[in-house]
Amino acid sequence: SSGMDVPVGMKNPTSGDLSVMLNSVTAAQHPHHFIYRGCDVETSGNDLAHTILRGGVNQYGQAIPNYHYEDLIRLYNLYSQKDLKNPAVIIDANHSNSNKKYKEQIRIVNEVLHSRNCNPELHKLVKGVMIESYLLEGRQDISDHMTPGCSITDPCLGWEDTERLIYEIAESADKNNPIYHPKNGITLKIPTITATSVSLIMTFPGLIHLKII
C-alpha cells in the first residue's frame, strides 16, 4: 500500500483498537525498502492512505459499533495527535457496525451524515460510507436452486433501498448542489454483474464506487 498512488483504506481490527489502524496508516504513508519475490523493492509512501471504521467485537462475540458521533470525534482527536497527511475516514455501515443486520445500514448512514453535517471538523474528516449492496436484498446459501442477484456472502441491501439511499446521501452531502433524482431526468442504471455481492462506497459529495466481491 505504500507504493500505490491511489487511496488505500486501513480498517480497524475486530478488537476495535484504533491505534492499530492508525499505525497501519502511518506505515503506509512512509517509504519502505524490502525484498519481494527476489526483487529489491523501494516505495515512496502513499499520502492517500486513510482509515475505515468497521466496528469491533468484544470478548463475548458481541458487536461493538464505532460509527457514532463520539467515535468520530475520538478518531479526529487521535488523528490530531499524529503527523499524518490527508486525514480521512470511510464508515463501513455493515459488518460489526450493523451486526450484519443489513437493513440497519440505512439508519447508520443517515446518522453518519447527521454527525458530518453537525461538526465542520467531521465534515472534513468523514469522506464516505461503505454499503454492502446487491440486486436483491438479503443472502442465500449455495444450493441447486439459487436465486440470481442475491448474495452468497454477507447479507446486502437490495437495489431499491440502495437507489433511495444514494439519493438521500447526495442530498445530504452537499445541500448547495442540485439533487440528482429521477424526476430531474437522471437515473441510476442497474449494472450487469456476476458476483457474490457488491460493496458500494459512496464518497462525498457524490462519487460512487462499486467493489465486486
Side-chain angles (χ1 to χ4, degrees), residues 134-135 159 188-194 198 210 212:
Y134 207 29
L135 302 181
W159 182 254
L188 294 170
K189 300 298 183 181
I190 298 178
T192 302
I193 298 172
T194 302
V198 177
L210 292 178
I212 309 302

Side-chain angles (χ1 to χ4, degrees), residues 78-138:
L78 290 172
Y79 253 122
S80 301
Q81 298 169 16
K82 293 182 175 289
D83 185 23
L84 291 172
K85 299 176 181 178
N86 303 310
V89 63
I90 288 179
I91 311 303
D92 181 347
N94 209 18
H95 298 104
S96 293
N97 272 331
S98 70
N99 199 20
K100 294 191 177 181
K101 297 176 181 177
Y102 64 94
K103 285 284 193 179
E104 285 291 288
Q105 294 184 99
I106 299 171
R107 179 189 59 78
I108 291 168
V109 167
N110 279 286
E111 180 175 333
V112 170
L113 290 170
H114 179 72
S115 297
R116 185 175 181 268
N117 289 333
C118 285
N119 187 310
E121 301 300 339
L122 295 185
H123 195 274
K124 296 176 184 177
L125 179 67
V126 179
K127 301 298 185 183
V129 292
M130 296 177 63
I131 305 163
E132 289 210 270
S133 167
Y134 207 29
L135 302 181
L136 300 178
E137 69 175 22

Side-chain angles (χ1 to χ4, degrees), residues 179-203:
I179 300 172
Y180 295 98
H181 194 275
K183 292 182 179 179
N184 297 335
I186 301 174
T187 59
L188 294 170
K189 300 298 183 181
I190 298 178
T192 302
I193 298 172
T194 302
T196 59
S197 65
V198 177
S199 178
L200 184 150
I201 305 175
M202 184 79 176
T203 54

